[in-house]
C-alpha cells in the first residue's frame, strides 16, 4: 500500500467528520430558526453548514485528488505496514493524533473566524464578545498550534521518546 492511499483514507475519514459536524451545526441552526418568531436571519448564517457539507462531499468523492494535492504522486512511497519498526509505528500514531486535533481545530476555527468577522463588522445590532468566547478562541488557536507541532515535529518527539525509552 502506498502512502498516498493511506492519506486518501484519512481524507475520506476527515470528510465524514466534517459532514457530521456540518449536520450538527445545521440542526442547531434549524432550532434557532424555529425560535426566531418571524425575524429574518442573514444569509451568512447558512453559509457554514452549506460550505462544510459541500467541502466534505468533494473530499469524500475525490479523496485521491485531495491526497495528490498534499503528496505528489511521483514522490509517493510503498509502505510495508506489517514489518513496521517501533519508530515508524510511533511516528504514525503521533501524526494520526495530530491530524485528529487539526481536524477538530479547523472545524472550530471556522466558527471563531466567523464570530470575529461579525464582531468587527459594523451593524445595527450590538454584538458583545464574552470572556468565554475569547477563551474559546484562544483554546482553538492553542489546539491548532499543538496539532501542527504534532504533525511537523514528529521526528523530534520520537527522538525525545526514544531517549526516555533508552534511560529505562
Amino acid at each position: 500500500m502506498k502512502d498516498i492511499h493511506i492519506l486518501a483514507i484519512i481524507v475520506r475519514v476527515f470528510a465524514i467528520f466534517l459532514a457530521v459536524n456540518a449536520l450538527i451545526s445545521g440542526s442547531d441552526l434549524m432550532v434557532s430558526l424555529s425560535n426566531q418568531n418571524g425575524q429574518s436571519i442573514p444569509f451568512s448564517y447558512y453559509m457554514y453548514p452549506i460550505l462544510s457539507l459541500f467541502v466534505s462531499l468533494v473530499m469524500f468523492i475525490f479523496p485521491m485528488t485531495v491526497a495528490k494535492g498534499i503528496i505528489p504522486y511521483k514522490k509517493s512511497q510503498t509502505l510495508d505496514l506489517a514489518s513496521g519498526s517501533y519508530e515508524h509505528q510511533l511516528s504514525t500514531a503521533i501524526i494520526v493524533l495530530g491530524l485528529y486535533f487539526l481536524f477538530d481545530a479547523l472545524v472550530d476555527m471556522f466558527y471563531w473566524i466567523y464570530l470575529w468577522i461579525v464582531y468587527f463588522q459594523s451593524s445595527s445590532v450590538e454584538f458583545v464578545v464574552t470572556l468565554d468566547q475569547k477563551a474559546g478562541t484562544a483554546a482553538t488557536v492553542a489546539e491548532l498550534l499543538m496539532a501542527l507541532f504534532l504533525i511537523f515535529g514528529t521526528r523530534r518527539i520520537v527522538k525525545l521518546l526514544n531517549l526516555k525509552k533508552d534511560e529505562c
Side-chain angles (χ1 to χ4, degrees):
M1 178 179 271
K2 293 188 178 272
D3 57 354
I4 197 163
H5 297 118
I6 293 173
L7 185 59
I9 292 169
I10 293 171
V11 166
R12 189 166 273 176
V13 168
F14 174 64
I16 293 168
F17 178 77
L18 188 62
V20 167
N21 277 322
L23 292 175
I24 289 170
S25 67
S27 67
D28 291 341
L29 179 65
M30 292 301 158
V31 169
S32 67
L33 281 175
S34 66
N35 295 331
Q36 287 299 318
N37 297 330
Q39 293 177 335
S40 64
I41 294 181
F43 180 70
S44 58
Y45 286 111
Y46 301 106
M47 290 308 296
Y48 172 71
I50 292 170
L51 285 176
S52 295
L53 281 174
F54 177 73
V55 169
S56 67
L57 184 67
V58 168
M59 291 174 70
F60 190 80
I61 295 173
F62 305 109
M64 283 297 287
T65 305
V66 175
K68 287 176 187 176
I70 297 171
I71 298 176
Y73 192 70
K74 294 178 181 175
K75 293 184 179 182
S76 65
Q77 301 171 1
T78 303
L79 298 176
D80 186 14
L81 298 176
S83 65
S85 65
Y86 167 77
E87 288 83 13
H88 180 71
Q89 292 174 358
L90 183 61
S91 298
T92 305
I94 291 171
I95 289 173
V96 167
L97 185 64
L99 287 173
Y100 171 76
F101 286 125
L102 178 67
F103 297 155
D104 192 41
L106 287 178
V107 169
D108 290 343
M109 192 67 75
F110 289 133
Y111 170 76
W112 295 120
I113 288 172
Y114 181 75
L115 179 115
W116 288 103
I117 288 172
V118 169
Y119 176 71
F120 287 118
Q121 286 179 344
S122 61
S123 66
S124 61
V125 178
E126 183 66 28
F127 186 76
V128 178
V129 176
T130 65
L131 190 59
D132 289 342
Q133 291 169 328
K134 291 177 183 177
T137 303
T140 301
V141 169
E143 184 179 16
L144 181 66
L145 293 175
M146 180 184 66
L148 292 174
F149 176 71
L150 285 173
I151 293 170
F152 295 114
T154 303
R155 288 185 182 173
R156 284 181 268 172
I157 295 170
V158 169
K159 284 181 184 177
L160 179 70
L161 291 175
N162 279 337
L163 289 176
K164 298 293 181 183
K165 184 182 126 185
D166 293 338
E167 291 175 1
C168 294

